[in-house]
């Protein structure tokens, strides 16, 4: 049922590319942050490396934890007929949204309104059965964030939002409401 390896194999990469959602957990202190992520924003770039787009949104916790040397775990799970859970244990790295190598991995329309790229350095891949994960059918992506980004990127409102939610230099006083 369960197994671990040090890197992704071709079956893992194919499984990841088929998923419509992933979950990212991070921690740099007492709180563990867990966020669902949608859209086609995740790219495997090697056997031990992946990059995803970090869109502007409600929080900035994953980046905060990464900047504070926190660990990151990414979970993909099948909601279809063939059960599977795939966990990626990683060290994260934030990369500026102007990075051309990362930008070339995604369609240009998807880059509007993004905060940054997150590079994941994968040190362990874990497989488990997923037999308790329910069956769900994908209906469609929510368009809300992409529409907001498309509408407000050119007038500077997205950049203003990103600046207002930046990671503070001193994380010792960083608190969430």
């Amino acid at each position: 049922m369960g197994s671990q390896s040090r890197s992704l194999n071709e079956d893992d990469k194919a499984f990841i590319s088929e998923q419509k959602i992933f979950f990212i957990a991070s921690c740099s202190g007492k709180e563990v942050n867990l966020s669902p992520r949608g859209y086609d924003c995740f790219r495997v770039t090697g056997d031990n490396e992946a990059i995803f787009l970090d869109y502007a949104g409600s929080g900035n916790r994953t980046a905060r934890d990464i900047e504070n040397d926190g660990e990151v775990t990414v979970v993909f799970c099948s909601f279809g007929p063939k059960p599977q859970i795939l966990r990626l244990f990683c060290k994260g790295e934030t990369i500026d949204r102007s990075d051309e190598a990362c930008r070339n991995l995604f369609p240009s329309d998807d880059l509007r309104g993004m905060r940054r790229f997150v590079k994941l350095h994968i040190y362990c891949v874990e497989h488990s059965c997923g037999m308790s994960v329910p069956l769900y059918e994908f209906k469609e992506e929510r368009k809300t964030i992409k529409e907001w980004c498309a509408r407000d990127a050119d007038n500077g409102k997205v950049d203003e939002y990103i600046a207002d939610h930046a990671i503070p230099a001193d994380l010792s006083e960083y608190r969430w409401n």
Side-chain angles (χ1 to χ4, degrees):
M1 278 196 178
S3 66
Q4 285 188 337
S5 61
R6 294 181 185 254
S7 59
L8 295 166
N9 62 39
E10 294 307 312
D11 289 340
D12 297 335
K13 294 173 189 178
F15 177 74
I16 289 169
S17 71
E18 295 168 1
Q19 304 313 304
K20 303 290 186 190
I21 186 172
F22 65 95
F23 301 87
I24 185 161
S26 61
C27 184
S28 61
K30 295 179 184 176
E31 304 164 340
V32 175
N33 174 52
L34 176 63
S35 298
R37 302 290 174 116
Y39 299 135
D40 182 22
C41 67
F42 195 95
R43 300 288 185 273
V44 174
T45 54
D47 293 345
N48 293 90
E49 186 179 280
I51 294 174
F52 73 88
L53 295 174
D54 184 21
Y55 285 102
S58 59
N60 204 9
R61 295 175 66 123
T62 301
R64 174 203 65 177
D65 290 341
I66 288 170
E67 292 294 321
N68 204 28
D69 202 31
E71 294 287 319
V72 176
T73 301
V74 179
V75 177
F76 293 92
C77 56
S78 170
F79 295 101
K82 183 180 177 189
Q84 181 178 350
I85 298 172
L86 180 68
R87 291 178 183 88
L88 309 178
F89 297 93
C90 316
K91 287 300 276 184
E93 173 187 356
T94 59
I95 299 176
D96 189 84
R97 65 185 179 174
S98 65
D99 185 278
E100 280 303 313
C102 291
R103 293 180 72 82
N104 290 333
L105 297 170
F106 300 92
S108 60
D109 285 349
D110 289 352
L111 301 175
R112 298 187 72 181
M114 60 172 289
R115 277 191 281 230
R116 68 187 61 80
F117 296 99
V118 175
K119 182 184 272 188
L120 302 170
H121 302 277
I122 303 163
Y123 58 82
C124 182
V125 177
E126 184 176 87
H127 305 88
S128 56
C129 69
M131 290 183 191
S132 67
V133 176
L135 294 169
Y136 283 99
E137 290 185 28
F138 176 72
K139 185 175 178 182
E140 65 184 33
E141 290 182 340
R142 294 183 193 271
K143 299 177 177 123
T144 312
I145 291 292
K146 286 187 176 183
E147 288 174 350
W148 172 68
C149 290
R151 183 183 67 242
D152 288 348
D154 293 336
N155 65 16
K157 288 185 180 179
V158 175
D159 286 338
E160 183 179 308
Y161 178 89
I162 291 169
D164 287 346
H165 292 82
I167 303 167
D170 180 10
L171 292 175
S172 64
E173 297 299 318
Y174 200 45
R175 299 286 185 265
W176 289 89
N177 297 330

